[in-house]
Amino acid sequence: MAQSVIFKNMHVEWDVPIPMDDGVVLRADVFRPSADGRYPVLLSYGPYAKALPFQVGYRDQWEALIRDFPEVASGSSCKYANWEVVDPEKWVPQGYVCVRVDSRGTGRSPGVLDIFSPRETKDYYNCIEWAGTQPWSNGKVGLIGISYLAINQWLVAGLQPPHLVAMCPWEGAADYYRDWHRHGGILSSFTSTWFKNQVIPVQYGVGRKGYRNPYNGLLVAGDETLSDDELARNRMDPYLEALARELDGPWYRERSADWSKVVVPFLSCGNWGGHGLHLRGNVEAFLRAASKKKWLEIHGLEHWTHFYTDYGLNLQRRFFDYFLKGIDNGWDREPPVWLNVRYPGEEYVLRKEWEWPLARTQWTKWYLDPANSSLSGQIPHKESHATYHAMGQGITFWTPPFEKETEITGPVAAKVFISSSTTDADLFLVLRLFDPEGREVTFRGAVEPAAPVAQGWLRASHRKLDPDLSREWRPYHSHDEYQPLTPGEIYELDIEIWPTSIVVPPGYRLALTIQGRDFEREGETGQLETLGRFRGSGPFVHKDPWDRRLEIFGGQVTVYGGASRPSYLLLPVIPN
C-alpha cells in the first residue's frame, strides 16, 4: 500500500502501484506540488532502486559532487536525491510532478530482471501512459535521466507513447552492440562489473540483505527476502548473453534505438570524456533520429556532474518549460547544437552551432610514417612498416609541435593498413595531447579521472563497412560477418574514433597510439566503489579471456605507411 507525507509543500507518495498488461505491478514514488492542479510530469524508469538515496548508494560520487559544486545542494535537503535522476526539490516547486519507477525485477518492483529487453521497454511505455492520465497530470510527460535512464528513453521513444511529449537523454548509449557491449566488435568487460556491483545489490528480493531507506524506513530492494538461487533464476545476465553473440543480430537490435521511429522532440546531452559509453549514442541520435525538433549538447567533467549543476538544471528547465508547459522562452529559436569547446586545464567555452559535424570543418589528414613514428601532413615518400606485439605498448605516432592554436572538434577516424601473424587482431587507438615539455595533458572524463583526448577500437575480422551509413569521418561497420585474416597478408581498416573537442595551443603535440590491448597508464588514476580501479580507460576495458584469446589476438601486428598504403588519422579542424 502506498504511503504519503507532505514535505515543504511537496506531496510525496511511496510505492504507488502501476499495473502492467501481464499482471505484474511495478512501484513508483511520486513527488508533486501539494496544491491541487494538473502539472507536467518528469518520469524516470530504471534499475537503481528509487528508495536508495544518492549519498547512501553512491557515497564517493556524492561527496565529490557536493565538494566541487555546492550549488547542487543549495535549496534542497537532498533526502530525495537519487542516483542519475532529478532531485524533486529542484523541480516540484517549479510546477512539475516527478515520478520514479523501479524497473521490473529491481528495487521494490517484482518480476524477472532483463535489462533493456522488449518487455522492459513495454513496461516503460505503460508507465508513461499511466502518468499521462493521472488526476494530477496535465497529460504531458517528459523523460529525463542519466546513462541507463537515458538509454531506455531512446528505446521507448521508438514505441511512440501518445503522452510522451519531450525527453532529455543525458549521456546515454543507443546501440546495444556498438555503444555498449562490443566496441568495434571487441567485448567490453564493463557490463560484468557494473551489473554485479550496481544492479544485483538492488534486485527485487534482496530484501533484508540489502539497504534500508533512512528517511522512510522502507527496504530498498523489496519486503520479501529471496534466496540467492531464487534471485539468480529471476535475472538474465547481460554479460553472458553478449559473450555468446560476437556478431550483431536480433538480440542487440531489439535493445537498440530504431532511429526511424524516434520522432519526439529531444535534448541529447553527451560528454567529450564519455568514450566507451557516454557519447556516441547521443551524437548518433542527433544525426539519425527522425525527430524534426532535436538538440545536441556536449559538455565535459564526470557524467553525473553537470546534470545536477546550475548549468545543466537551467538547460533542462528551459527545454521542458517550452515543451511541457508551453512557455514561450525562445527555446525553439535556439541553435540545435551546443558545444562546450574544450581547452587544456579543464576549461570549456560554450559555443552554439547549426549542424553536426560543423559545416566549416577542414577535414585534415595526418599520415602515419612507421619509419620514424611521425604524423605528417604529406604522404611519406618511402614505403615503411613497423611491428608491435599485440599485448605490448604498441606504436605511437607524433605530430610536430603545432605552430598556432588549432581547434579540433568533431568526429575522428583513421585508415590503417595492417598485417597480423595470427588470424585476427584487435586494434585500440588512443589520441593524446602533450605540452612542449613532453607532459601529457589529461582530462576528467565521464568516469575516468585522467582520460585521453579520444579513443577508438576495431577487431580486424569485423572490418566490413556498411556502405549506406559509412562516412569518411565516421566509418560504420556492419558487424554481421566474420572475415578472418590470412597471416602476413595486408588489410585496409577504417576505424571509428569517437568524437572529441580540444583546442591545441602553439607548441603542443598530438600523439596517436595503436596497440592491441586496452590503453592503461603505469599507475592507478582513480577508483569508485561500484566500478573498481582505473588506469586511463575508466571501467570500459576489454579483458574477457575467451573473447580475447591469446592464440588469436596475442600475435605480432605490422602497421604500413607510404604512397601505396597511405595510413592516416583524419581530424576535424575548425578554422577560427
Side-chain angles (χ1 to χ4, degrees), residues 355-375:
E355 69 284 313
W356 177 273
L358 306 188
R360 65 184 184 280
T361 301
Q362 296 175 351
W363 297 104
T364 304
K365 294 179 179 177
W366 288 89
Y367 292 93
L368 280 61
D369 189 344
N372 57 18
S373 300
S374 69
L375 290 168

Side-chain angles (χ1 to χ4, degrees), residues 524-547:
E524 182 179 309
T525 59
Q527 62 177 313
L528 290 174
E529 184 177 353
T530 55
L531 293 176
R533 301 175 184 273
F534 310 141
R535 290 185 57 187
S537 295
F540 308 111
V541 293
H542 310 77
K543 296 184 179 298
D544 188 275
W546 174 254
D547 187 70

Side-chain angles (χ1 to χ4, degrees), residues 192-263:
S192 179
T193 303
W194 164 81
F195 192 68
K196 179 176 68 176
N197 293 333
Q198 290 188 227
V199 180
I200 289 179
V202 291
Q203 181 184 354
Y204 177 85
V206 169
R208 294 187 302 276
K209 295 182 289 185
Y211 297 99
R212 185 182 292 274
N213 185 297
Y215 304 116
N216 60 19
L218 294 175
L219 289 168
V220 165
D223 290 331
E224 62 175 326
T225 302
L226 304 178
S227 69
D228 290 346
D229 286 343
E230 289 176 297
L231 289 169
R233 287 195 297 270
N234 283 344
R235 64 177 180 255
M236 303 298 293
D237 188 323
Y239 185 72
L240 294 181
E241 295 286 340
L243 176 62
R245 296 171 171 86
E246 181 174 345
L247 297 179
D248 199 357
W251 185 79
Y252 293 107
R253 290 305 94 214
E254 65 186 11
R255 291 163 172 79
S256 300
D258 182 344
W259 297 127
S260 68
K261 295 179 180 178
V262 177
V263 297

Side-chain angles (χ1 to χ4, degrees), residues 526-572:
Q527 62 177 313
L528 290 174
E529 184 177 353
T530 55
L531 293 176
R533 301 175 184 273
F534 310 141
R535 290 185 57 187
S537 295
F540 308 111
V541 293
H542 310 77
K543 296 184 179 298
D544 188 275
W546 174 254
D547 187 70
R548 302 263 295 132
R549 301 186 293 283
L550 288 178
E551 64 270 23
I552 299 176
F553 301 101
Q556 302 284 326
V557 177
T558 302
V559 177
Y560 299 83
S564 65
R565 301 183 183 97
S567 297
Y568 62 78
L569 170 70
L570 182 67
L571 294 178

Side-chain angles (χ1 to χ4, degrees), residues 157-173:
L159 300 182
Q160 300 179 2
H163 287 92
L164 176 58
V165 173
M167 63 184 195
C168 179
W170 195 278
E171 301 192 30

Side-chain angles (χ1 to χ4, degrees), residues 280-300:
R280 186 181 187 275
N282 292 97
V283 175
E284 287 292 304
F286 182 77
L287 283 171
R288 299 174 58 197
S291 175
K292 303 299 182 183
K293 299 177 181 179
K294 53 187 177 181
W295 285 262
L296 172 67
E297 184 271 353
I298 310 182
H299 51 266

Side-chain angles (χ1 to χ4, degrees), residues 464-480:
K464 178 183 174 184
L465 294 172
D466 183 317
D468 296 325
L469 293 175
S470 285
R471 303 291 182 270
E472 185 177 27
W473 43 264
R474 197 267 278 115
Y476 196 98
H477 297 88
S478 59
H479 296 295
D480 61 357

Side-chain angles (χ1 to χ4, degrees), residues 340-420:
N340 288 277
V341 178
R342 184 167 61 177
Y343 290 74
E346 300 291 358
E347 294 184 16
Y348 296 87
V349 176
L350 177 61
R351 191 177 68 219
K352 300 177 183 181
E353 300 282 356
W354 291 96
E355 69 284 313
W356 177 273
L358 306 188
R360 65 184 184 280
T361 301
Q362 296 175 351
W363 297 104
T364 304
K365 294 179 179 177
W366 288 89
Y367 292 93
L368 280 61
D369 189 344
N372 57 18
S373 300
S374 69
L375 290 168
S376 171
Q378 303 296 323
I379 299 176
H381 294 298
K382 294 184 178 181
E383 305 282 340
S384 64
H385 60 269
T387 300
Y388 63 89
H389 188 274
M391 296 303 147
Q393 297 296 320
I395 305 173
T396 298
F397 299 86
W398 299 81
T399 68
F402 279 69
E403 295 180 357
K404 61 181 181 180
E405 183 177 88
T406 303
E407 179 187 337
I408 297 167
T409 297
V412 182
K415 183 184 289 290
V416 183
F417 291 82
I418 67 111
S419 65
S420 173

